[in-house]
Amino acid sequence: MTFDLILRVGSKLVLPFILLFALYVQFHGDFGPGGGFQAGVITAGVVILVAITFGFKTAKRIAPKSLVERMVPLGVLIYAGTGAAGLLMGKNFLDYSVFSSDTAHAREFGIFLVEAGVLITVAGTMCSLFYAFVERAR
């Protein structure tokens, strides 16, 4: 399989900006469109672009299958752990007031944890699906 030089150089230039955009979408999801799901899909798109441009082996070196498979339950654990923290402190599930005495800071931190869990789960799921489709064709 031969790879186009222009495509490879262009991808190397664009990949950091795609990841930066994923972070932007992640952290500005509470002010506008975006959040953990969209950022997770964009992040998985980076791995897929690497696989298409540089080959599947390179993508598996960047995001090994064992790491991708661990990301899915880790994200769910972060999400559920954030909710369970409220239950353990005698509050409601996903009651962010347990994280700080200041309500605004507690809400920001709780939402950040939930959205980070969603990002990790979605990115892991999308990469796992991509890996499954590619390995099935081989």
Side-chain angles (χ1 to χ4, degrees):
M1 179 177 199
T2 61
F3 298 106
D4 188 18
L5 180 64
I6 295 172
L7 184 62
R8 292 176 76 161
V9 171
S11 294
K12 283 184 181 181
L13 291 172
V14 171
L15 285 172
F17 294 107
I18 295 173
L19 282 175
L20 185 65
F21 181 66
L23 289 174
Y24 171 78
V25 169
Q26 170 72 17
F27 290 118
H28 287 82
D30 50 347
F31 300 119
F37 185 85
Q38 292 85 350
V41 172
I42 294 169
T43 305
V46 168
V47 175
I48 294 169
L49 179 62
V50 168
I52 292 170
T53 308
F54 299 101
F56 186 60
K57 289 182 181 179
T58 305
K60 285 184 83 171
R61 234 179 324 138
I62 292 171
K65 191 173 180 180
S66 61
L67 172 69
V68 169
E69 289 174 349
R70 289 185 185 124
M71 286 171 64
V72 177
L74 175 67
V76 172
L77 188 64
I78 292 171
Y79 185 97
T82 303
L87 289 175
L88 292 174
M89 299 296 213
K91 305 277 185 172
N92 292 329
F93 186 76
L94 289 177
D95 186 356
Y96 305 130
S97 65
V98 299
F99 295 118
S100 176
S101 59
D102 182 25
T103 307
H105 287 85
R107 186 172 296 136
E108 286 179 15
F109 184 68
I111 291 172
F112 171 75
L113 287 175
V114 166
E115 292 294 331
V118 171
L119 179 140
I120 292 168
T121 300
V122 169
T125 302
M126 296 302 290
C127 287
S128 293
L129 285 171
F130 176 72
Y131 286 175
F133 281 124
V134 170
E135 290 174 347
R136 183 171 186 234
R138 291 177 182 247

